mmCIF file of all heavy atoms in Angstrom:
data_model
loop_
_atom_site.group_PDB
_atom_site.id
_atom_site.type_symbol
_atom_site.label_atom_id
_atom_site.label_comp_id
_atom_site.label_asym_id
_atom_site.label_seq_id
_atom_site.Cartn_x
_atom_site.Cartn_y
_atom_site.Cartn_z
ATOM 1 N N GLY B 198 -25.131 -2.265 5.035
ATOM 2 C CA GLY B 198 -26.193 -1.622 4.179
ATOM 3 C C GLY B 198 -25.897 -1.524 2.658
ATOM 4 O O GLY B 198 -26.709 -1.015 1.923
ATOM 5 N N ILE B 199 -24.769 -2.020 2.271
ATOM 6 C CA ILE B 199 -24.496 -1.942 0.799
ATOM 7 C C ILE B 199 -25.300 -3.062 0.134
ATOM 8 O O ILE B 199 -25.316 -4.226 0.551
ATOM 9 C CB ILE B 199 -22.970 -2.118 0.544
ATOM 10 C CG1 ILE B 199 -22.187 -1.002 1.135
ATOM 11 C CG2 ILE B 199 -22.738 -2.173 -1.001
ATOM 12 C CD1 ILE B 199 -20.701 -1.086 0.996
ATOM 13 N N VAL B 200 -25.967 -2.721 -0.954
ATOM 14 C CA VAL B 200 -26.787 -3.668 -1.671
ATOM 15 C C VAL B 200 -26.008 -4.048 -2.933
ATOM 16 O O VAL B 200 -25.461 -3.145 -3.624
ATOM 17 C CB VAL B 200 -28.183 -3.027 -2.076
ATOM 18 C CG1 VAL B 200 -28.933 -3.990 -2.946
ATOM 19 C CG2 VAL B 200 -28.932 -2.682 -0.794
ATOM 20 N N PHE B 201 -25.943 -5.279 -3.247
ATOM 21 C CA PHE B 201 -25.162 -5.783 -4.370
ATOM 22 C C PHE B 201 -26.056 -6.302 -5.507
ATOM 23 O O PHE B 201 -27.041 -7.038 -5.229
ATOM 24 C CB PHE B 201 -24.152 -6.890 -4.008
ATOM 25 C CG PHE B 201 -23.024 -6.275 -3.183
ATOM 26 C CD1 PHE B 201 -23.044 -6.343 -1.771
ATOM 27 C CD2 PHE B 201 -21.936 -5.692 -3.828
ATOM 28 C CE1 PHE B 201 -22.071 -5.817 -1.057
ATOM 29 C CE2 PHE B 201 -20.904 -5.180 -3.049
ATOM 30 C CZ PHE B 201 -20.896 -5.276 -1.682
ATOM 31 N N LYS B 202 -25.787 -5.946 -6.678
ATOM 32 C CA LYS B 202 -26.396 -6.534 -7.901
ATOM 33 C C LYS B 202 -25.313 -7.115 -8.699
ATOM 34 O O LYS B 202 -24.559 -6.458 -9.381
ATOM 35 C CB LYS B 202 -27.150 -5.483 -8.723
ATOM 36 C CG LYS B 202 -28.134 -4.606 -7.979
ATOM 37 C CD LYS B 202 -29.398 -5.312 -7.802
ATOM 38 C CE LYS B 202 -30.409 -4.422 -7.005
ATOM 39 N NZ LYS B 202 -31.600 -5.204 -6.579
ATOM 40 N N LEU B 203 -25.131 -8.450 -8.571
ATOM 41 C CA LEU B 203 -24.037 -9.141 -9.326
ATOM 42 C C LEU B 203 -24.514 -9.701 -10.631
ATOM 43 O O LEU B 203 -25.705 -9.832 -10.940
ATOM 44 C CB LEU B 203 -23.461 -10.264 -8.452
ATOM 45 C CG LEU B 203 -22.951 -9.915 -7.057
ATOM 46 C CD1 LEU B 203 -22.385 -11.103 -6.287
ATOM 47 C CD2 LEU B 203 -21.825 -8.825 -7.184
ATOM 48 N N GLU B 204 -23.538 -10.029 -11.490
ATOM 49 C CA GLU B 204 -23.803 -10.584 -12.819
ATOM 50 C C GLU B 204 -24.761 -9.756 -13.677
ATOM 51 O O GLU B 204 -25.607 -10.253 -14.375
ATOM 52 C CB GLU B 204 -24.311 -12.057 -12.664
ATOM 53 C CG GLU B 204 -23.272 -12.975 -12.037
ATOM 54 C CD GLU B 204 -23.593 -14.398 -11.927
ATOM 55 O OE1 GLU B 204 -23.488 -15.108 -12.929
ATOM 56 O OE2 GLU B 204 -24.126 -14.821 -10.911
ATOM 57 N N THR B 205 -24.538 -8.456 -13.470
ATOM 58 C CA THR B 205 -25.320 -7.540 -14.447
ATOM 59 C C THR B 205 -24.474 -6.234 -14.530
ATOM 60 O O THR B 205 -23.474 -6.103 -13.857
ATOM 61 C CB THR B 205 -26.730 -7.271 -13.889
ATOM 62 O OG1 THR B 205 -27.374 -6.551 -14.915
ATOM 63 C CG2 THR B 205 -26.686 -6.411 -12.625
ATOM 64 N N SER B 206 -24.847 -5.413 -15.497
ATOM 65 C CA SER B 206 -24.078 -4.168 -15.635
ATOM 66 C C SER B 206 -25.084 -3.101 -16.018
ATOM 67 O O SER B 206 -26.308 -3.359 -16.209
ATOM 68 C CB SER B 206 -23.028 -4.306 -16.680
ATOM 69 O OG SER B 206 -23.584 -4.602 -17.955
ATOM 70 N N VAL B 207 -24.557 -1.900 -16.190
ATOM 71 C CA VAL B 207 -25.478 -0.780 -16.488
ATOM 72 C C VAL B 207 -25.748 -0.786 -17.961
ATOM 73 O O VAL B 207 -24.903 -0.961 -18.812
ATOM 74 C CB VAL B 207 -24.812 0.535 -15.981
ATOM 75 C CG1 VAL B 207 -23.467 0.788 -16.595
ATOM 76 C CG2 VAL B 207 -25.722 1.719 -16.254
ATOM 77 N N ASP B 208 -27.025 -0.563 -18.268
ATOM 78 C CA ASP B 208 -27.425 -0.553 -19.658
ATOM 79 C C ASP B 208 -27.544 0.940 -20.113
ATOM 80 O O ASP B 208 -27.102 1.279 -21.169
ATOM 81 C CB ASP B 208 -28.794 -1.277 -19.795
ATOM 82 C CG ASP B 208 -29.200 -1.451 -21.227
ATOM 83 O OD1 ASP B 208 -28.307 -1.592 -22.074
ATOM 84 O OD2 ASP B 208 -30.404 -1.418 -21.507
ATOM 85 N N GLU B 209 -28.140 1.732 -19.249
ATOM 86 C CA GLU B 209 -28.409 3.096 -19.616
ATOM 87 C C GLU B 209 -28.549 3.986 -18.341
ATOM 88 O O GLU B 209 -29.138 3.485 -17.313
ATOM 89 C CB GLU B 209 -29.701 3.135 -20.398
ATOM 90 C CG GLU B 209 -30.082 4.505 -20.979
ATOM 91 C CD GLU B 209 -31.457 4.441 -21.696
ATOM 92 O OE1 GLU B 209 -31.973 3.384 -21.981
ATOM 93 O OE2 GLU B 209 -31.924 5.541 -22.004
ATOM 94 N N ILE B 210 -28.106 5.186 -18.398
ATOM 95 C CA ILE B 210 -28.328 6.112 -17.303
ATOM 96 C C ILE B 210 -29.377 7.077 -17.822
ATOM 97 O O ILE B 210 -29.305 7.654 -18.913
ATOM 98 C CB ILE B 210 -27.025 6.832 -16.948
ATOM 99 C CG1 ILE B 210 -25.990 5.829 -16.546
ATOM 100 C CG2 ILE B 210 -27.244 7.839 -15.775
ATOM 101 C CD1 ILE B 210 -24.607 6.424 -16.469
ATOM 102 N N ILE B 211 -30.443 7.218 -16.975
ATOM 103 C CA ILE B 211 -31.563 7.961 -17.433
ATOM 104 C C ILE B 211 -31.748 9.268 -16.575
ATOM 105 O O ILE B 211 -31.531 9.230 -15.366
ATOM 106 C CB ILE B 211 -32.864 7.131 -17.316
ATOM 107 C CG1 ILE B 211 -32.728 5.860 -18.151
ATOM 108 C CG2 ILE B 211 -34.143 7.900 -17.696
ATOM 109 C CD1 ILE B 211 -33.674 4.710 -17.775
ATOM 110 N N GLY B 212 -32.082 10.401 -17.228
ATOM 111 C CA GLY B 212 -32.293 11.574 -16.509
ATOM 112 C C GLY B 212 -32.561 12.756 -17.419
ATOM 113 O O GLY B 212 -32.162 12.652 -18.609
#
Side-chain angles (χ1 to χ4, degrees):
Chain B
I199 299 176
V200 175
F201 289 95
K202 306 279 179 191
L203 301 180
E204 295 184 84
T205 188
S206 64
V207 58
D208 188 32
E209 185 183 347
I210 302 166
I211 301 160

